[in-house]
């Protein structure tokens, strides 16, 4: 294997390791690290949990003194500032590594090229850009939060083959298979918030928890302009066990706000005059709280609003081999939509697989 192939092999392994931190490392980036001497791997690590050791420190602990003179492959430029942990650049310099290959520059302002500069100043060879596209894709949520102060938005729905998310009488349990629903619970278990609209809350009375629990406990958010969430709903009854935010509009009655707060809900007042304005305010607030990934489960009106303001980044859809029919049966994405087929937003890198007889696909919007 020539040196370039060897570098690519080690970096792809580092990317695999980085993905193991999904749902655990956020709002920090997902980072993996491999320390090697030629083809021999002497240390591996990843950022396992927010606030814990970074990937380089994790790998150095495995490599020990053998790290001296070795090459470090890391999916993100090593940090050079004190945060939750000391700078990784200092640890790499102290370990005596010879070369550092990083997939991408860290866009975090306190790093942003300074980590590479610090390593070069210490006499370490530094190369940037190997597998950069893959590293950027892996950390797209982190990059969006830094650049826009808004979280990455995953949209999820289950629908029939004729594109319905419920019957004309608004019944939807169950469209998808048990295997598909389990995949949905896995998504819930790795995000910071799950968002539904007031119509879905009233029609389905969902619990919105991950079962079994995942690495994160999502905040449950109901976009409810009038703060009308029922006092006997599952969300209300469990608000003291798992957080519930009711995003209310300016017309919500003070008595209803106090009612929801008395059950343990947080009522978040949004002052925008339109649904779109309030949605942007909600995303900004969730971003301020450093939520990195949020999951929107509908219904169609809410998903349509997210679509219309261009705030859907990733789509997960479960297509069941059933037909509901009905002109009045709801569809997944409402709102205004696009005017022409040429204006459609296109999913890139779509993955398709079968789950319990359903067709499951996911991809990212361009």
């Amino acid at each position: 294997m020539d040196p370039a192939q060897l570098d690519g092999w080690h970096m792809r392994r580092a990317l695999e390791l980085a993905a193991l931190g999904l749902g655990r490392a956020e709002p920090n980036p997902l980072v993996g690290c491999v320390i090697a001497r030629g083809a021999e791997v002497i240390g591996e690590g990843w950022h396992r949990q927010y606030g814990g050791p970074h990937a380089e420190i994790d790998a150095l602990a495995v490599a020990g003194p053998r790290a001296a003179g070795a090459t470090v492959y890391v999916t993100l430029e090593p940090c050079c500032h004190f945060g939750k942990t000391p700078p990784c650049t200092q640890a790499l310099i102290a370990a005596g590594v010879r070369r550092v290959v990083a997939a991408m520059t860290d866009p975090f302002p306190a790093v942003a090229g300074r980590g590479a500069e610090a390593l070069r100043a210490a006499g370490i060879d530094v190369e940037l850009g190997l597998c950069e596209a893959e590293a950027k894709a892996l950390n797209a949520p982190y990059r969006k939060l830094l650049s826009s102060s808004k979280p990455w938005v995953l949209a999820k729905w289950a629908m029939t083959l004729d594109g319905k998310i419920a019957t004309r009488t608004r019944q939807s349990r169950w469209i998808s298979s048990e295997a598909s629903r389990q995949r949905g619970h896995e998504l819930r278990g790795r995000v910071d918030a799950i968002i539904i609209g007031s119509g879905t809350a009233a029609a389905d009375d969902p619990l919105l928890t991950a079962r079994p629990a995942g690495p994160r406990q999502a905040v449950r958010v109901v976009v409810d302009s009038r703060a009308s969430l029922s006092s006997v709903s599952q969300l209300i009854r469990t608000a003291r066990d798992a957080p519930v935010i009711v995003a209310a509009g300016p017309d919500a009655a003070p008595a209803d706000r106090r009612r929801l707060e008395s059950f343990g809900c947080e009522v978040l007042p949004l002052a925008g005059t339109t649904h779109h304005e309030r949605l942007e305010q909600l995303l900004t607030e969730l971003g301020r709280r450093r939520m990195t990934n949020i999951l929107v489960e509908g219904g169609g009106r809410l998903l349509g609003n997210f679509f219309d303001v261009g705030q859907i980044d990733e789509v997960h859809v479960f297509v069941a081999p059933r037909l509901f029919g009905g002109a009045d049966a709801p569809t997944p994405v409402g709102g205004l939509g696009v005017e022409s087929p040429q204006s459609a937003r296109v999913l890139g890198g779509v993955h398709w697989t079968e789950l319990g007889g359903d067709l499951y696909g996911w991809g990212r919007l361009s």
Side-chain angles (χ1 to χ4, degrees):
M1 187 181 297
D2 66 39
Q5 289 177 317
L6 191 60
D7 285 349
W9 183 64
H10 286 313
M11 186 61 78
R12 285 189 291 274
R13 174 57 181 163
L15 287 164
E16 290 177 355
L17 293 167
L20 297 176
L22 187 64
R24 294 174 170 84
E26 299 91 342
N28 280 354
L30 308 178
V31 185
C33 181
V34 171
I35 303 176
R37 291 176 173 274
E40 181 189 8
V41 174
I42 59 176
E44 291 187 339
W46 67 94
H47 189 26
R48 298 170 186 264
Q49 186 172 354
Y50 176 68
H54 288 189
E56 299 94 320
I57 307 305
D58 199 33
L60 285 170
V62 177
R66 298 190 68 200
T71 297
V72 175
Y73 300 87
V74 61
T75 58
L76 186 71
E77 175 188 9
C79 68
C80 55
H81 67 292
F82 283 88
K84 294 280 186 183
T85 59
C88 291
T89 50
Q90 288 186 4
L92 293 169
I93 293 168
V97 305
R98 179 183 64 84
R99 177 172 173 246
V100 172
V101 182
M104 61 177 282
T105 300
D106 190 345
F108 187 64
V111 185
R114 294 182 181 90
E117 290 175 5
L119 294 172
R120 290 189 178 112
I124 297 173
D125 293 335
V126 179
E127 298 173 27
L128 296 170
L130 179 63
C131 298
E132 182 179 35
E134 295 91 330
K136 285 185 172 181
L138 181 66
N139 273 310
Y142 168 73
R143 293 165 54 229
K144 181 185 178 184
L145 186 61
L146 281 180
S147 63
S148 70
S149 298
K150 291 184 173 69
W152 185 261
V153 178
L154 299 85
K156 178 186 79 72
W157 65 82
M159 69 180 186
T160 60
L161 199 58
D162 56 340
K164 308 297 184 180
I165 60 172
T167 67
R168 59 184 172 82
T169 59
R170 300 304 191 263
Q171 298 181 58
S172 61
R173 293 182 178 174
W174 296 105
I175 290 175
S176 57
S177 67
E178 184 176 347
S180 293
R181 297 197 299 275
Q182 185 55 49
R183 174 59 179 145
H185 281 286
E186 292 170 4
L187 289 172
R188 286 180 176 181
R190 68 171 179 84
V191 299
D192 296 298
I194 303 166
I195 305 181
I196 61 170
S198 57
T200 298
D204 294 348
D205 188 23
L207 190 56
L208 299 184
T209 56
R211 302 182 293 277
R216 303 183 92 80
Q217 183 185 58
V219 176
R220 300 168 297 170
V221 181
V222 182
V223 178
D224 186 359
S225 296
R226 298 189 178 277
S228 60
L229 184 62
S230 169
S231 297
V232 296
S233 66
Q234 291 196 92
L235 290 169
I236 287 287
R237 297 201 308 269
T238 59
R240 299 193 188 281
D241 301 319
V244 174
I245 295 175
V246 177
D251 296 330
D256 279 321
R257 295 185 186 187
R258 290 193 296 270
R259 172 181 62 85
L260 294 174
E261 289 171 343
S262 72
F263 286 106
C265 298
E266 176 188 352
V267 178
L268 178 64
L270 302 175
T273 58
T274 68
H275 290 299
H276 290 175
E277 289 176 352
R278 292 195 290 273
L279 191 58
E280 292 281 6
Q281 290 173 4
L282 173 61
L283 290 174
T284 298
E285 174 58 22
L286 297 182
R288 187 190 68 78
R289 300 183 188 198
R290 300 196 71 194
M291 293 188 181
T292 307
N293 295 282
I294 64 171
L295 178 65
V296 183
E297 294 201 3
R301 180 180 178 184
L302 182 64
L303 282 164
N305 286 333
F306 270 92
F307 181 82
D308 287 342
V309 298
Q311 287 295 339
I312 293 178
D313 301 298
E314 186 172 313
V315 171
H316 294 257
V317 59
F318 303 88
V319 184
R322 302 165 183 248
L323 300 173
F324 280 176
D328 294 330
T331 55
V333 183
L336 294 174
V338 300
E339 292 185 356
S340 68
Q342 292 72 30
S343 301
R345 295 189 66 194
V346 179
L347 284 180
V350 183
H351 305 262
W352 292 103
T353 189
E354 184 180 348
L355 281 178
D358 299 338
L359 192 60
Y360 166 52
W362 74 272
R364 292 178 170 179
L365 284 169
S366 58

